[in-house]
Amino acid sequence: MKKPSKRSQTGLSGHSLKTEWLAWWTGKAPVLFFGARFGGLVALLYILLAIPFAEQMLYGYLKTNAWLSNFILNLLGQGTHVTEVTIASPTFAIAIRRGCDAVEPTWLLCAAILAFPGPWWRKLAGMLGGIVVLQLLNLVRIVTLYLIGSRFSTGIFQSAHLEVWPTVFILAAIGLFVGWKGWAHER
C-alpha cells in the first residue's frame, strides 16, 4: 500500500492543523490576554472588598461622599445635615450605601486601562482622570437622587436610582475607556 502524500495529509490548501491553530492564536491572543488580565483585576476587587479592613475604608469613603454631597445640597439651599452616611432634612433622607459609591465603575475603568497595552504614563494619566470624573459624577448622582427623592414619588426615585444612574455610570466608564484608548495610542 502506498503512503499518503504530504499534500493529502494537510488538505488541499497545504495548511496543517498546527498552522491554522497558530494563525487563530496570533489573531486572538491579544484579546484573550486582555480578557484574562481584566478578569483577574476585577476578581481582585471582590477579594479586596471581602477583607474587613477594606470594608472599614469603604465606610470612611461613604461618609466622605455623604459630607461632600451634603455640602453641595446646602449650597443649593436644601438645609440638609449628615449623620454617619445619611443625608437628611425634615422632609427626606437618603443613606449612602455600598453600590452608591462609584467604586465598581471606577475599578472597572482602571482594570480595563491596566489590562490594555499602552504606555504606563498614559495609563496613569487615564486612571487619574477617570477616577476624578467618576467621583465627581457620583457626587452629582447623590445630589440629584436626593433632589428627586425630596420632590417626586418613590417610583421616580427608584427608577433614577436603580435604572438611570447605573446606566449612566456604565456608559461613562465605557466612554472614558474608549476616549483613553484613542488618546493613549495616538502617534
Side-chain angles (χ1 to χ4, degrees):
M1 182 160 178
K2 192 164 115 176
K3 185 175 178 186
S5 70
K6 194 104 162 139
R7 183 176 176 98
S8 65
Q9 287 178 350
T10 60
L12 295 175
S13 66
H15 288 93
S16 69
L17 184 58
K18 180 180 177 183
T19 305
E20 289 180 29
W21 186 86
L22 285 173
W24 177 87
W25 176 255
T26 302
K28 303 290 188 239
V31 174
L32 296 173
F33 284 130
F34 170 80
R37 287 188 298 263
F38 179 74
L41 290 167
V42 170
L44 179 62
L45 168 66
Y46 293 105
I47 291 168
L48 290 174
L49 289 176
I51 299 170
F53 176 72
E55 189 69 32
Q56 291 171 347
M57 288 181 55
L58 181 61
Y59 189 75
Y61 169 71
L62 295 175
K63 285 172 69 172
T64 302
N65 272 297
W67 282 99
L68 290 170
S69 299
N70 180 64
F71 177 76
I72 296 167
L73 285 164
N74 280 312
L75 288 177
L76 297 174
Q78 296 303 303
T80 56
H81 66 277
V82 174
T83 305
E84 293 291 316
V85 295
T86 302
I87 304 169
S89 70
T91 59
F92 186 72
I94 187 172
I96 314 301
R97 303 263 187 241
R98 186 158 154 17
C100 300
D101 50 29
V103 168
E104 288 170 303
T106 302
W107 189 282
L108 293 174
L109 172 64
C110 291
I113 289 172
L114 287 172
F116 204 83
W120 275 102
W121 71 272
R122 288 195 180 205
K123 287 183 181 199
L124 183 59
M127 289 188 301
L128 289 174
I131 289 168
V132 168
V133 168
L134 291 174
Q135 297 313 305
L136 290 174
L137 185 61
N138 193 54
L139 292 175
V140 171
R141 169 174 53 177
I142 294 167
V143 168
T144 59
L145 286 175
Y146 178 87
L147 294 171
I148 290 168
S150 67
R151 288 176 172 70
F152 299 102
S153 71
T154 304
I156 294 172
F157 173 81
Q158 290 298 333
S159 180
H161 181 237
L162 301 174
E163 297 167 11
V164 175
W165 272 112
T167 303
V168 168
F169 267 93
I170 290 167
L171 294 174
I174 291 169
L176 287 167
F177 175 70
V178 169
W180 170 82
K181 185 182 163 293
W183 173 74
H185 292 88
E186 65 185 27
R187 302 280 175 219

